[in-house]
């Protein structure tokens, strides 16, 4: 089958991000035809003027719709697209020059109906962005699930960098209304329908994440709240490792309390972990400031996720609350 690629990019009030992303499209290598579908999700600050400025250099379409969330906007874009293989990106991503070449090469070698790629930090990113990127992608924090080669089997692509065939989209009906969590939910439903997923390690994107410490906490807190809901919907995908941030958080609280009364041995264990994180970050980034910022990034990530996971587990699994009613902010309502 001849693949015809359509990039699907939802955007909400971020024309500057679209500017940078489209500039990276202009630099793509390889004689591979593709289209770009921009879906404006009810923004008050639209990207239309930016998109129009690229109309001569890129095969690009622009659609404006009422705000209904990123999942529904991706579905809308795939319905409008002309290709038979969709590549979904977040607006805060930048493509390396070889991105599409690597995707094409991998799919020709081993075709799957859904793939995901890792995220990386660009040299131009701020120290905070680089620290958060390390925290979100390192083996010692997430186990490398956002881009580890040994995670290829049953890999759950993330929608900031995700490929999906038209066939798989039509069979699955695309993304649901939960957010975040709509991408692992889609991956699991695709597996249940008999489709395969895989990681393409070389098809990475620079994920800029315009974010602050407070926004980072809110983001990972939502990630933690979503996971027990997905576990309830898809019980076969439960893993004990999802409890790690919660156990880490509770353990650190206990460690601090014990240290106050003179028991310091657990403090040494946590101290060793953070020293290891600092060293690994320094090796990877070669930046001592980033390596220092990695420590609060990990703390925020674990505390945010761990607290959200515990709260949601108690409500959904023990009190048997309806997720959509109990956590309405995690769901977009279609108008």
């Amino acid at each position: 089958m001849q693949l015809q690629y359509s990039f699907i990019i939802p955007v909400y009030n971020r024309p500057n991000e679209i500017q940078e992303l489209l500039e990276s499209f202009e630099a793509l290598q390889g004689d591979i035809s593709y289209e770009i579908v921009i879906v404006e999700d009810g923004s008050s600050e639209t990207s239309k003027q930016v998109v129009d400025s690229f109309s001569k250099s890129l095969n690009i379409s622009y659609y404006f719709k009422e705000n209904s969330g990123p999942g529904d906007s991706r579905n809308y874009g795939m319905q409008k697209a002309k290709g038979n293989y969709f590549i979904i990106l977040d607006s805060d991503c930048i493509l390396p020059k070889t991105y599409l070449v690597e995707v094409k090469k991998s799919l020709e070698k081993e075709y799957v109906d859904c793939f995901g790629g890792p995220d990386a930090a660009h040299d131009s990113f701020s120290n905070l962005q680089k620290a958060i990127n390390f925290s979100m992608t390192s083996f010692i924090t997430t186990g490398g699930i956002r881009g580890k080669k040994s995670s290829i089997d049953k890999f759950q692509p993330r929608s900031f960098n995700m490929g999906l065939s038209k066939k798989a989209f039509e069979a699955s009906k695309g993304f649901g209304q939960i957010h975040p969590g709509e991408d692992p939910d889609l991956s699991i439903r695709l597996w249940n329908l008999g489709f395969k997923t895989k990681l393409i390690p070389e098809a990475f994107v620079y994920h800029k994440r315009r974010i602050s410490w407070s926004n980072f906490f809110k983001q990972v807190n939502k990630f933690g709240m979503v996971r027990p809901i997905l576990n309830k919907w898809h019980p076969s995908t439960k893993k004990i490792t999802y409890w790690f941030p919660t156990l880490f958080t509770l353990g650190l609280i206990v460690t601090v309390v014990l240290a106050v009364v003179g028991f310091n041995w657990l403090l040494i264990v946590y101290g060793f972990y953070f020293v290891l994180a600092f060293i690994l970050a320094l090796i990877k980034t070669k930046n001592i400031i980033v390596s220092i910022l990695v420590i609060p990034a990990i703390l925020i990530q674990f505390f945010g996720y761990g607290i959200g996971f515990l709260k949601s587990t108690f409500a959904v699994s023990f009190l048997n609350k309806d997720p959509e009613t109990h956590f309405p902010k995690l769901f977009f309502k279609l108008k």
Side-chain angles (χ1 to χ4, degrees):
M1 178 179 63
Q2 182 67 35
L3 296 184
Q4 298 170 311
Y5 298 102
S6 295
F7 285 88
I8 313 298
I9 306 164
V11 59
Y12 181 70
N13 286 336
R14 292 184 174 182
N16 290 338
E17 289 183 352
I18 289 297
Q19 175 79 32
E20 290 182 307
L21 177 53
L22 294 181
E23 286 174 355
S24 70
F25 270 103
E26 289 185 317
L28 283 181
Q29 297 175 349
D31 185 20
I32 306 169
S33 62
Y34 61 88
E35 68 165 338
I36 303 170
V37 179
I38 305 291
V39 181
E40 193 85 61
D41 188 23
S43 302
S44 57
E45 186 182 1
T46 74
S47 304
K48 189 175 189 311
Q49 187 174 352
V50 173
V51 173
D52 287 345
S53 68
F54 288 88
S55 60
K56 292 183 179 179
S57 59
L58 296 172
N59 179 16
I60 189 167
S61 301
Y62 174 88
Y63 298 95
F64 184 95
K65 53 178 278 299
E66 289 189 17
N67 179 253
S68 59
D72 186 61
S73 295
R74 297 181 193 114
N75 292 343
Y76 182 92
M78 288 186 280
Q79 289 167 356
K80 296 292 185 181
K82 300 179 181 68
N84 58 14
Y85 207 101
F86 311 127
I87 299 178
I88 301 157
L89 302 173
D90 278 357
S91 61
D92 59 353
C93 291
I94 300 172
L95 297 179
K97 294 179 180 180
T98 58
Y99 178 85
L100 196 51
V101 171
E102 296 295 347
V103 168
K104 183 175 183 290
K105 181 168 60 176
S106 179
L107 291 180
E108 287 178 346
K109 182 178 180 180
E110 181 191 8
Y111 179 83
V112 291
D113 284 280
C114 181
F115 77 84
D119 53 341
H122 194 272
D123 289 340
S124 66
F125 286 9
S126 70
N127 290 333
L128 175 59
Q129 289 168 330
K130 291 176 180 178
I132 289 176
N133 178 269
F134 178 88
S135 182
M136 291 288 283
T137 60
S138 174
F139 177 78
I140 66 167
T141 54
T142 63
I145 61 172
R146 296 172 69 92
K148 184 180 65 170
K149 288 188 177 182
S150 59
S151 298
I152 292 177
D153 182 38
K154 289 293 185 180
F155 178 71
Q156 295 182 6
R158 296 296 190 263
S159 53
F160 67 85
N161 179 15
M162 179 181 189
L164 183 68
S165 72
K166 184 176 182 178
K167 179 182 178 182
F169 168 64
E170 291 177 342
S172 65
K173 309 302 181 187
F175 294 95
Q177 293 309 113
I178 192 170
H179 177 73
E182 69 275 21
D183 29 19
D185 172 60
L186 175 57
S187 296
I188 297 165
R189 288 189 286 111
L190 287 172
W191 296 339
N192 293 337
L193 290 168
F195 293 102
K196 293 183 178 180
T197 63
K198 75 171 180 178
L199 168 71
I200 303 179
E202 298 80 13
F204 66 91
V205 298
Y206 299 113
H207 199 183
K208 196 153 193 177
R209 291 193 187 92
R210 286 186 172 88
I211 202 165
S212 63
W213 287 127
S214 61
N215 286 339
F216 183 48
F217 178 86
K218 291 176 183 177
Q219 182 186 63
V220 294
N221 185 247
K222 284 186 176 181
F223 289 160
M225 292 169 68
V226 159
R227 180 52 66 177
I229 298 173
L230 296 178
N231 288 345
K232 185 170 185 177
W233 288 352
H234 311 288
S236 64
T237 64
K238 288 182 180 180
K239 292 181 181 179
I240 191 66
T241 52
Y242 293 145
W243 279 92
F244 177 72
T246 301
L247 296 176
F248 182 96
T249 299
L250 295 176
L252 184 56
I253 293 172
V254 171
T255 296
V256 172
V257 172
L258 290 176
V260 171
V261 296
F263 294 93
N264 299 317
W265 59 275
L266 273 176
L267 204 58
I268 296 173
V269 175
Y270 276 92
F272 175 80
Y273 176 85
F274 285 116
V275 168
L276 177 63
F278 174 84
I279 292 172
L280 292 176
L282 189 60
I283 293 172
K284 182 176 181 179
T285 67
K286 298 176 176 59
N287 185 318
I288 192 167
I289 296 176
V290 171
S291 303
I292 293 171
L293 290 176
V294 159
I295 308 303
I298 292 175
L299 284 170
I300 290 171
Q301 181 176 325
F302 281 175
F303 268 80
Y305 187 102
I307 292 169
F309 184 89
L310 192 61
K311 176 182 177 181
S312 182
T313 297
F314 183 74
V316 173
S317 300
F318 292 97
L319 299 182
N320 204 30
K321 297 288 186 180
D322 175 65
E324 194 165 353
T325 303
H326 197 69
F327 299 112
K329 292 184 178 179
L330 298 178
F331 294 85
F332 277 92
K333 300 288 187 181
L334 293 178
K335 297 180 180 179

